[in-house]
Amino acid sequence: MSHTPFIIGAYVVALLGFGGLLVASLLARRRIKRELGHRGLERR
Amino acid sequence: MASLHVLANPARFRRFSQKVLPVLSGATALVLAVGLYLALVESPPDYQQGETVRIMFIHVPSAWLAMAGYALLAGLGAALLVWRHPLAALMARAAAPVGAVFAAVCLLTGSLWGRPMWGTYWVWDARLTSMLLLFFLYLGHIALSRAYDDAERGDRAAAILALVGVINLPVIKFSVDWWNTLHQPASVMKLGGPSIHPAILTPLMVMAAALLLLFVVLVMVRTETEIDRRRLDAAERAQ
Amino acid sequence: MTDLEVTGLGCRRGGRPVFRDLSFSLAKGELLALTGRNGSGKTTLLRALALLVPADAGAIHWQGADVAADREAWRRRIAWLGHLDGLKGDLTVRENVATACHLREEGTERVDAALAAFELGPLASRSVRTLSAGQRRRAALARVVAAGARLWLLDEPLNALDAPSQAALRAALGQHLATGGLAIAATHAPIDVPNARTLLMDSSPPPGGEEHEP
Amino acid sequence: MSGFTALLARDLRLVWRRPGDVMVVLAFFVVATVLFPLGIGPETNLLARIAAGILWCAALFAALLSLDRLFAADYEDGALDLLLLAPWPLELAALAKCLAHWIVTGLPLAVLAPFMGLLFGLSGEGLAALGLTLLVGTPALSLIGGLAAALTLGARRGGALLALLALPLCVPTLIFGAGAVEAVATGGGFLTHLAILGALALLSLATLPWAIAAALRQAGE
């Protein structure tokens, strides 16, 4: 029973978990910054 | 403690993180690339675990960071409750989901490691079980901080929970270990292996550094968002 | 000689400033009526005086000493009437007032006089659950009278009170002030009692001052 | 009369006036435990082995069930303000509330559980272990649950959130409580388990009243 599928699986899990969180966080930051922009409150 | 005070003001933190983040994310990508190369290509299969030791390079660092993340929550909680730090609340709200994801990745990779080694996806191993409970503590913290209309009320309630949680973590670990030796045959191999073979140590450390940097980047990005979100709420309420 | 001295008091609620730089003083035998529109911070000020809500700025002194230094002594000195009556529905009127005294670690010798002051004698052994809102408010006021505290903090004491009960409240308050007590009441309708002063809480929250961070 | 005893007496009198609330919790415990043999099957040796875990879990859920009203009633009728303004430490008030909860749920559960143990074919010493461990273990549950109740005062979805917060913290008590009964079943002694349960209760006693008081003060802000 070769182990490679489990190894690949582990790294895919890491990619989905960490990558997914990173993308979600960046998108959330952009959305909030745009909303602040609409209200004319964004930073200099 | 002066540096902590300097960053106490969320706006100043925001300017600091905007300057530091590009450099930090570059470093993270670099160290991660090196780590992945060492972990997947360079290092030899372990004499005991064979190829599956490569799963360790994700599993073990994410366990460390999940635990360190909860200690961070407790520290930020103390800063919020004792000194009413405005930034501590926002950083805790940003860091909790990051810690939870690290705990989840640790659990999933642990079970993917368990399948080839022990034949089942879930083993009531002491460390995995403690990590599962830590994951529940994270969920509790996230749910509690969002359970109130007044965000500041949620932050302070979650801070109390984090402080109580961090006191109970060793107790939970001790009781699960005891429970584990009671029911589990002693032959189950410890996850980390009796002693870490040097050939495995370097990729493990590099990956740990990479994931630590990733943790910091994630927390800083999310803290910026929380600062802006709080300013948005304040603006809406002021109308 | 002023007993209560409030200087530069400022409070926030949910991140928003409610009032700032509030200063006033109160001497024995005086009532301070807080007036102002809803949301102008009357309740927040009362809760700040009772140290239930932390103040951002300013200080509260009682006879020269900062009240935050000895919170338990300060709590012994105040009697509280909130929006809610603080009564247990399953206990009788007398049990509620007596328990309130016990919870303040004080004797119950003033209970009967307090019940009589608000004509609660006939209702004394009825459980509060069966009372009307006005009767419940009178029971809560009786609790304040029975506490025998120097400073009364009353939030909308006239709520739900009919004319005779309002007269009873004026009498009890007058008697409290006459014996050297003090009182601060948030109220819409005026309470005409000798040497009452008024503090108008302006309802527009003050400008944020310097660009305020959350 | 000290404030502590006044608050304890008041809460116990309130329960006495409305015994239904407590009966429901104990009835839940009985019904919950009876379900398991129906679900798992009547063979006694299996039931005897799993009896400890099931009875302890059912006791845990029964204790949690009655917790969300612990402070909510005072929060809603304004009595919490009077506790916050009582001229004695709020930590003692938190302790009095948790003690009242323990007397009303933990104690009766510890008395009732051995009888339920008979349904699972537990032996005499097993029943004694069950009762004793529940007696020593449930104070920690009342304190942990008290903290969860105080933290969720005025929160949305209070009930489920309360369980999510309390259950992970109750795990050590559950492990040593159920472990003690099982140790007896396998012929060992359960004194060490009892000692650890006592230690867990003391740890909760030493830390949780302060946390509960801090949570209650926030609810008053």
Side-chain angles (χ1 to χ4, degrees):
Chain A
M1 197 237 322
S2 102
H3 296 163
T4 20
F6 296 103
I7 297 162
I8 294 166
Y11 281 80
V12 164
V13 158
L15 179 66
L16 292 179
F18 299 142
L21 181 61
L22 185 61
V23 167
S25 307
L26 292 171
L27 287 179
R29 183 172 66 165
R30 208 158 55 92
R31 186 173 55 81
I32 292 281
K33 215 179 274 183
R34 234 182 309 110
E35 241 165 87
L36 271 177
H38 293 329
R39 293 182 187 255
L41 284 167
E42 81 280 31
R43 294 257 154 278
R44 281 165 303 284
Chain B
M1 285 299 276
S3 63
L4 190 62
H5 183 67
V6 162
L7 293 187
N9 178 319
R12 220 169 287 132
F13 171 84
R14 235 183 142 297
R15 280 189 290 278
F16 165 78
S17 80
Q18 258 165 346
K19 279 204 293 291
V20 166
L21 262 179
V23 175
L24 203 58
S25 13
T28 310
L30 187 68
V31 176
L32 192 60
V34 169
L36 286 175
Y37 171 74
L38 288 179
L40 293 177
V41 176
E42 183 59 27
S43 70
D46 176 59
Y47 61 94
Q48 277 174 324
Q49 303 168 28
E51 289 296 327
T52 58
V53 75
R54 302 187 195 289
I55 299 179
M56 284 295 111
F57 300 139
I58 297 276
H59 177 70
V60 174
S62 45
W64 291 342
L65 285 167
M67 285 183 275
Y70 201 80
L72 172 69
L73 284 192
L76 291 171
L80 173 61
L81 294 175
V82 174
W83 299 297
R84 281 201 179 255
H85 247 301
L87 183 70
L90 300 171
M91 195 174 274
R93 194 176 272 265
V98 178
V101 163
F102 272 78
V105 167
C106 174
L107 286 167
L108 292 173
T109 48
S111 90
L112 280 172
W113 184 84
R115 179 69 182 80
M117 289 310 294
W118 295 322
T120 62
Y121 278 105
W122 178 257
V123 168
W124 287 98
D125 165 78
R127 261 188 290 231
L128 274 181
T129 314
S130 305
M131 185 53 68
L132 187 61
L133 293 173
L134 176 60
F135 181 66
F136 291 152
L137 284 176
Y138 270 119
L139 292 190
H141 189 277
I142 295 167
L144 186 57
S145 61
R146 285 160 172 69
Y148 291 94
D149 304 331
D150 173 5
E152 287 179 13
R153 171 87 192 281
D155 295 331
R156 286 201 301 274
I160 294 178
L161 181 71
L163 284 173
V164 170
V166 86
I167 298 172
N168 279 282
L169 262 186
V171 176
I172 291 176
K173 185 75 177 63
F174 163 75
S175 51
V176 168
D177 281 347
W178 174 293
W179 166 85
N180 184 266
T181 48
L182 226 58
H183 299 282
Q184 203 66 31
S187 68
V188 168
M189 211 184 70
K190 275 192 170 306
L191 270 183
S195 66
I196 299 181
H197 192 278
I200 294 174
L201 196 56
T202 22
L204 185 64
M205 285 305 147
V206 174
M207 281 301 283
L211 291 185
L212 171 63
L213 286 170
L214 179 63
F215 189 97
V216 172
V217 165
L218 281 167
V219 170
M220 286 178 88
V221 167
R222 297 183 66 83
T223 302
E224 275 185 29
T225 315
E226 292 301 335
I227 292 172
D228 288 346
R229 183 172 291 143
R230 201 57 67 87
R231 285 191 64 239
L232 203 59
D233 290 350
E236 265 156 22
R237 268 203 303 274
Q239 251 123 30
Chain C
M1 212 290 277
T2 67
D3 284 283
L4 181 65
E5 187 73 39
V6 172
T7 46
L9 200 66
C11 263
R12 314 175 53 77
R13 288 294 277 169
R16 231 165 33 84
V18 179
F19 54 80
R20 287 157 55 93
D21 292 337
L22 197 63
S23 301
F24 61 88
S25 64
L26 202 61
K28 267 193 276 296
E30 282 187 338
L31 159 69
L32 182 68
L34 305 176
T35 55
R37 293 181 46 96
N38 301 24
S40 56
K42 301 196 292 293
T43 299
T44 309
L45 172 57
L46 284 176
R47 295 186 78 90
L49 290 171
L51 303 181
L52 287 172
V53 163
D56 282 355
I60 304 165
H61 291 276
W62 173 262
Q63 292 170 350
D66 187 340
V67 297
D70 185 349
R71 287 169 177 263
E72 277 178 23
W74 176 240
R75 288 192 200 120
R76 208 175 292 283
R77 215 170 264 119
I78 50 178
W80 174 260
L81 176 80
H83 275 302
L84 303 168
D85 296 326
L87 304 169
K88 284 298 172 187
D90 292 329
L91 297 182
T92 69
V93 172
R94 177 185 299 281
E95 281 170 342
N96 263 297
V97 178
T99 308
C101 292
H102 287 313
L103 283 177
R104 290 175 56 81
E105 293 186 329
E106 277 163 15
T108 53
E109 54 281 359
R110 281 182 297 270
V111 170
D112 292 323
L115 292 177
F118 289 94
E119 300 117 31
L120 288 167
L123 301 172
S125 48
R126 286 216 358 228
S127 42
V128 164
R129 194 168 10 87
T130 63
L131 300 185
S132 73
Q135 291 164 330
R136 259 188 266 232
R137 201 59 175 165
R138 281 155 55 192
L141 284 164
R143 171 171 48 77
V144 170
V145 170
R150 282 295 303 282
L151 170 65
W152 288 4
L153 298 176
L154 311 169
D155 201 346
E156 310 284 355
L158 295 170
N159 264 9
L161 290 188
D162 54 19
S165 309
Q166 290 188 10
L169 169 61
R170 271 195 300 279
L173 193 51
Q175 214 255 332
H176 169 68
L177 297 176
T179 57
L182 300 89
I184 300 177
T187 175
H188 290 293
I191 311 173
D192 49 17
V193 157
N195 51 46
R197 295 193 350 252
T198 312
L199 174 67
L200 177 62
M201 306 276 293
D202 63 347
S203 56
S204 61
E210 88 288 2
E211 215 254 340
H212 188 77
E213 300 314 327
Chain D
M1 170 205 291
S2 83
F4 179 87
T5 38
L7 181 56
L8 185 62
R10 185 201 75 172
D11 270 15
L12 293 180
R13 182 185 301 166
L14 279 171
V15 170
W16 187 257
R17 289 278 163 82
R18 214 181 260 282
D21 303 351
V22 174
M23 294 310 152
V24 162
V25 170
L26 299 180
F28 166 82
F29 173 71
V30 170
V31 169
T33 34
V34 164
L35 287 183
F36 284 92
L38 296 173
I40 294 163
E43 56 274 36
T44 48
N45 46 30
L46 171 62
L47 285 181
R49 248 179 64 63
I50 56 174
I54 288 168
L55 288 163
W56 253 92
C57 286
L60 184 57
F61 293 139
L64 287 190
L65 209 60
S66 55
L67 268 169
D68 58 359
R69 295 309 299 164
L70 186 65
F71 295 112
D74 295 336
Y75 181 72
E76 280 146 18
D77 61 25
L80 183 63
D81 280 348
L82 301 179
L83 279 185
L84 293 171
L85 291 172
W88 43 279
L90 188 60
E91 288 74 15
L92 276 179
L95 198 58
K97 296 290 285 187
C98 292
L99 178 59
H101 174 265
W102 180 71
I103 292 172
V104 158
T105 45
L107 202 53
L109 284 177
V111 169
L112 191 60
F115 297 99
M116 298 309 296
L118 295 175
L119 299 184
F120 290 78
L122 280 183
S123 70
E125 212 204 343
L127 296 176
L130 181 64
L132 260 177
T133 49
L134 275 172
L135 199 63
V136 174
T138 42
L141 301 186
S142 289
L143 282 161
I144 294 168
L147 174 65
L151 285 174
T152 52
L153 262 182
R156 299 189 300 272
R157 298 185 312 280
L161 183 59
L162 188 145
L164 173 66
L165 302 186
L167 287 176
L169 299 173
C170 294
V171 159
T173 303
L174 173 66
I175 285 178
F176 286 101
V181 182
E182 202 176 325
V184 166
T186 53
F190 64 97
L191 238 48
T192 37
H193 296 80
L194 214 53
I196 294 174
L197 273 177
L200 290 173
L202 285 178
L203 173 70
S204 306
L205 205 59
T207 55
L208 291 180
W210 279 264
I212 294 172
L216 291 177
R217 280 191 201 96
Q218 277 175 33
E221 274 177 28

PDB file of all heavy atoms in Angstrom, chain C residues 7 32 35 38 41 79 90 105 129 143 146 165 176 181 203 207:
ATOM      1  N   THR C   7     -15.960  65.390  38.750  1.00  0.00           N
ATOM      2  CA  THR C   7     -15.164  66.339  37.948  1.00  0.00           C
ATOM      3  C   THR C   7     -14.765  65.691  36.617  1.00  0.00           C
ATOM      4  O   THR C   7     -14.174  64.610  36.593  1.00  0.00           O
ATOM      5  CB  THR C   7     -13.872  66.708  38.704  1.00  0.00           C
ATOM      6  OG1 THR C   7     -13.305  65.492  39.194  1.00  0.00           O
ATOM      7  CG2 THR C   7     -14.146  67.635  39.873  1.00  0.00           C
ATOM      8  N   LEU C  32     -30.565  65.975  42.773  1.00  0.00           N
ATOM      9  CA  LEU C  32     -30.167  66.425  41.440  1.00  0.00           C
ATOM     10  C   LEU C  32     -31.014  65.659  40.432  1.00  0.00           C
ATOM     11  O   LEU C  32     -30.972  64.421  40.388  1.00  0.00           O
ATOM     12  CB  LEU C  32     -28.683  66.142  41.195  1.00  0.00           C
ATOM     13  CG  LEU C  32     -28.162  66.621  39.831  1.00  0.00           C
ATOM     14  CD1 LEU C  32     -28.151  68.141  39.768  1.00  0.00           C
ATOM     15  CD2 LEU C  32     -26.771  66.073  39.551  1.00  0.00           C
ATOM     16  N   THR C  35     -32.196  65.602  33.516  1.00  0.00           N
ATOM     17  CA  THR C  35     -33.232  65.663  32.473  1.00  0.00           C
ATOM     18  C   THR C  35     -32.530  65.633  31.116  1.00  0.00           C
ATOM     19  O   THR C  35     -31.319  65.838  31.029  1.00  0.00           O
ATOM     20  CB  THR C  35     -34.034  66.975  32.596  1.00  0.00           C
ATOM     21  OG1 THR C  35     -33.069  68.035  32.547  1.00  0.00           O
ATOM     22  CG2 THR C  35     -34.806  67.021  33.887  1.00  0.00           C
ATOM     23  N   ASN C  38     -34.186  60.952  25.464  1.00  0.00           N
ATOM     24  CA  ASN C  38     -33.713  59.561  25.569  1.00  0.00           C
ATOM     25  C   ASN C  38     -32.358  59.453  24.884  1.00  0.00           C
ATOM     26  O   ASN C  38     -32.096  60.150  23.892  1.00  0.00           O
ATOM     27  CB  ASN C  38     -34.704  58.629  24.843  1.00  0.00           C
ATOM     28  CG  ASN C  38     -36.094  58.754  25.447  1.00  0.00           C
ATOM     29  OD1 ASN C  38     -36.398  59.791  26.036  1.00  0.00           O
ATOM     30  ND2 ASN C  38     -36.901  57.743  25.300  1.00  0.00           N
ATOM     31  N   GLY C  41     -27.755  59.895  27.867  1.00  0.00           N
ATOM     32  CA  GLY C  41     -26.739  59.405  28.783  1.00  0.00           C
ATOM     33  C   GLY C  41     -27.148  59.459  30.239  1.00  0.00           C
ATOM     34  O   GLY C  41     -26.312  59.300  31.129  1.00  0.00           O
ATOM     35  N   ALA C  79     -27.989  53.412  47.246  1.00  0.00           N
ATOM     36  CA  ALA C  79     -29.134  52.522  47.001  1.00  0.00           C
ATOM     37  C   ALA C  79     -29.520  52.732  45.541  1.00  0.00           C
ATOM     38  O   ALA C  79     -29.526  53.873  45.051  1.00  0.00           O
ATOM     39  CB  ALA C  79     -30.284  52.902  47.921  1.00  0.00           C
ATOM     40  N   ASP C  90     -41.186  35.116  42.242  1.00  0.00           N
ATOM     41  CA  ASP C  90     -41.727  34.021  43.072  1.00  0.00           C
ATOM     42  C   ASP C  90     -41.670  34.336  44.561  1.00  0.00           C
ATOM     43  O   ASP C  90     -42.157  33.555  45.370  1.00  0.00           O
ATOM     44  CB  ASP C  90     -40.950  32.717  42.804  1.00  0.00           C
ATOM     45  CG  ASP C  90     -41.236  32.217  41.391  1.00  0.00           C
ATOM     46  OD1 ASP C  90     -42.368  32.482  40.910  1.00  0.00           O
ATOM     47  OD2 ASP C  90     -40.340  31.639  40.763  1.00  0.00           O
ATOM     48  N   GLU C 105     -26.149  42.994  53.569  1.00  0.00           N
ATOM     49  CA  GLU C 105     -25.614  42.651  54.899  1.00  0.00           C
ATOM     50  C   GLU C 105     -26.067  43.675  55.941  1.00  0.00           C
ATOM     51  O   GLU C 105     -25.283  44.168  56.751  1.00  0.00           O
ATOM     52  CB  GLU C 105     -24.071  42.570  54.834  1.00  0.00           C
ATOM     53  CG  GLU C 105     -23.612  41.402  53.974  1.00  0.00           C
ATOM     54  CD  GLU C 105     -22.111  41.191  53.998  1.00  0.00           C
ATOM     55  OE1 GLU C 105     -21.373  42.185  54.154  1.00  0.00           O
ATOM     56  OE2 GLU C 105     -21.680  40.035  53.852  1.00  0.00           O
ATOM     57  N   ARG C 129     -45.021  38.350  41.450  1.00  0.00           N
ATOM     58  CA  ARG C 129     -45.470  37.992  40.094  1.00  0.00           C
ATOM     59  C   ARG C 129     -46.908  38.458  39.855  1.00  0.00           C
ATOM     60  O   ARG C 129     -47.287  38.787  38.736  1.00  0.00           O
ATOM     61  CB  ARG C 129     -45.386  36.453  39.982  1.00  0.00           C
ATOM     62  CG  ARG C 129     -45.467  35.851  38.639  1.00  0.00           C
ATOM     63  CD  ARG C 129     -45.080  34.386  38.627  1.00  0.00           C
ATOM     64  NE  ARG C 129     -44.908  33.759  39.927  1.00  0.00           N
ATOM     65  CZ  ARG C 129     -45.890  33.206  40.638  1.00  0.00           C
ATOM     66  NH1 ARG C 129     -47.127  33.251  40.167  1.00  0.00           N
ATOM     67  NH2 ARG C 129     -45.650  32.643  41.804  1.00  0.00           N
ATOM     68  N   ARG C 143     -37.784  48.987  48.534  1.00  0.00           N
ATOM     69  CA  ARG C 143     -36.443  48.365  48.709  1.00  0.00           C
ATOM     70  C   ARG C 143     -35.381  49.456  48.880  1.00  0.00           C
ATOM     71  O   ARG C 143     -34.501  49.346  49.740  1.00  0.00           O
ATOM     72  CB  ARG C 143     -36.135  47.497  47.489  1.00  0.00           C
ATOM     73  CG  ARG C 143     -34.701  46.975  47.466  1.00  0.00           C
ATOM     74  CD  ARG C 143     -34.480  45.959  46.390  1.00  0.00           C
ATOM     75  NE  ARG C 143     -34.988  46.371  45.085  1.00  0.00           N
ATOM     76  CZ  ARG C 143     -34.364  47.238  44.296  1.00  0.00           C
ATOM     77  NH1 ARG C 143     -33.262  47.807  44.706  1.00  0.00           N
ATOM     78  NH2 ARG C 143     -34.848  47.552  43.123  1.00  0.00           N
ATOM     79  N   ALA C 146     -35.755  50.963  52.321  1.00  0.00           N
ATOM     80  CA  ALA C 146     -35.333  50.033  53.393  1.00  0.00           C
ATOM     81  C   ALA C 146     -33.813  49.929  53.465  1.00  0.00           C
ATOM     82  O   ALA C 146     -33.244  49.572  54.487  1.00  0.00           O
ATOM     83  CB  ALA C 146     -35.933  48.656  53.146  1.00  0.00           C
ATOM     84  N   SER C 165     -49.120  57.307  44.438  1.00  0.00           N
ATOM     85  CA  SER C 165     -47.773  56.725  44.616  1.00  0.00           C
ATOM     86  C   SER C 165     -46.711  57.789  44.385  1.00  0.00           C
ATOM     87  O   SER C 165     -45.688  57.828  45.056  1.00  0.00           O
ATOM     88  CB  SER C 165     -47.595  55.572  43.623  1.00  0.00           C
ATOM     89  OG  SER C 165     -48.695  54.686  43.721  1.00  0.00           O
ATOM     90  N   HIS C 176     -35.987  61.567  53.214  1.00  0.00           N
ATOM     91  CA  HIS C 176     -34.585  61.119  53.054  1.00  0.00           C
ATOM     92  C   HIS C 176     -33.656  62.324  52.996  1.00  0.00           C
ATOM     93  O   HIS C 176     -32.628  62.383  53.684  1.00  0.00           O
ATOM     94  CB  HIS C 176     -34.479  60.299  51.756  1.00  0.00           C
ATOM     95  CG  HIS C 176     -33.083  60.005  51.322  1.00  0.00           C
ATOM     96  ND1 HIS C 176     -32.237  59.169  52.014  1.00  0.00           N
ATOM     97  CD2 HIS C 176     -32.350  60.469  50.269  1.00  0.00           C
ATOM     98  CE1 HIS C 176     -31.054  59.095  51.411  1.00  0.00           C
ATOM     99  NE2 HIS C 176     -31.106  59.883  50.342  1.00  0.00           N
ATOM    100  N   GLY C 181     -29.767  62.995  53.629  1.00  0.00           N
ATOM    101  CA  GLY C 181     -29.465  62.092  52.503  1.00  0.00           C
ATOM    102  C   GLY C 181     -29.280  62.885  51.221  1.00  0.00           C
ATOM    103  O   GLY C 181     -29.570  64.091  51.168  1.00  0.00           O
ATOM    104  N   SER C 203     -28.471  66.061  24.372  1.00  0.00           N
ATOM    105  CA  SER C 203     -28.635  64.732  23.761  1.00  0.00           C
ATOM    106  C   SER C 203     -27.676  64.538  22.604  1.00  0.00           C
ATOM    107  O   SER C 203     -27.443  63.434  22.172  1.00  0.00           O
ATOM    108  CB  SER C 203     -30.071  64.600  23.237  1.00  0.00           C
ATOM    109  OG  SER C 203     -30.284  65.673  22.352  1.00  0.00           O
ATOM    110  N   PRO C 207     -18.685  66.121  19.807  1.00  0.00           N
ATOM    111  CA  PRO C 207     -17.859  65.737  18.637  1.00  0.00           C
ATOM    112  C   PRO C 207     -16.702  64.865  19.121  1.00  0.00           C
ATOM    113  O   PRO C 207     -16.299  64.937  20.285  1.00  0.00           O
ATOM    114  CB  PRO C 207     -17.350  67.075  18.093  1.00  0.00           C
ATOM    115  CG  PRO C 207     -17.493  68.051  19.226  1.00  0.00           C
ATOM    116  CD  PRO C 207     -18.662  67.571  20.042  1.00  0.00           C
TER     117      PRO C 207
END
